[in-house]
Amino acid sequence: NAGVTQTPKFRILKIGQSMTLQCTQDMNHNYMYWYRQDPGMGLKLIYYSVGAGITDKGEVPNGYNVSRSTTEDFPLRLELAAPSQTSVYFCAARPTMNTEAFFGQGTRLTVV
Amino acid sequence: DAKTTQPPSMDCAEGRAANLPCNHSTISGNEYVYWYRQIHSQGPQYIIHGLKNNETNEMASLIITEDRKSSTLILPHATLRDTAVYYCIVTQRGQGAQKLVFGQGTRLTINP
């Protein structure tokens, strides 16, 4: 039972490069989330989605874009990587609001 | 939006009960209290949630005061593997209930 799968696990980007962090879930959950976690800090919500075709901004959306074309996938796009985006990124999914969320194991991104 | 306040850190002896407090004095009647934990740099793990009644599962107990302004997560027999950051979250009202916003959490250290 895979749950929430994030790829890649690690990545080093140069300033100005772009990349897509992949998140896929096999639980058929409607709600999906992207978070970033800086060293020693809590999780900050970047974007979230309540279903295919619906996305909304979280606390720190600047510099990121998302799409949700299917229930399973919720990719996070960085267009022009900056050192400030060095962080660990977590994806999560849950069936609806007021239910348990399941998290992936994270993607550690370094921008140099 | 109801905010939460947690102590930044706590210590507990192995085998003892760990009691983690959370203040949420602005909570409204239809908002749930959730607890998650994050072990080292893994993705957060759901522990328990409740509305107004006390709740218990195989991991922990959740005690919510009668006025719902605070709650306590209880790990009845803490082990070294319970060392983690524990997050208390109150789900937001209405449209905001779709979000899942984390605070800074309490870093719990279980000592041998």
Side-chain angles (χ1 to χ4, degrees), chain B residues 53-73:
Chain B
N53 297 321
N54 297 338
E55 302 287 345
T56 296
N57 63 21
E58 65 278 3
M59 289 182 68
S61 295
L62 174 61
I63 308 299
I64 302 174
T65 58
E66 193 168 341
D67 63 8
R68 302 186 71 239
K69 292 183 184 302
S70 66
S71 60
T72 301
L73 178 75

Side-chain angles (χ1 to χ4, degrees), chain A residues 33 35 37 97-101, chain B residues 34 36 38 44 46 97-98 100:
Chain A
Y33 303 83
Y35 296 88
Q37 185 173 35
M97 59 183 125
N98 296 324
T99 55
E100 173 186 354
Chain B
Y34 278 79
Y36 285 79
Q38 187 176 26
Y46 165 85
Q98 299 169 350
L100 187 60

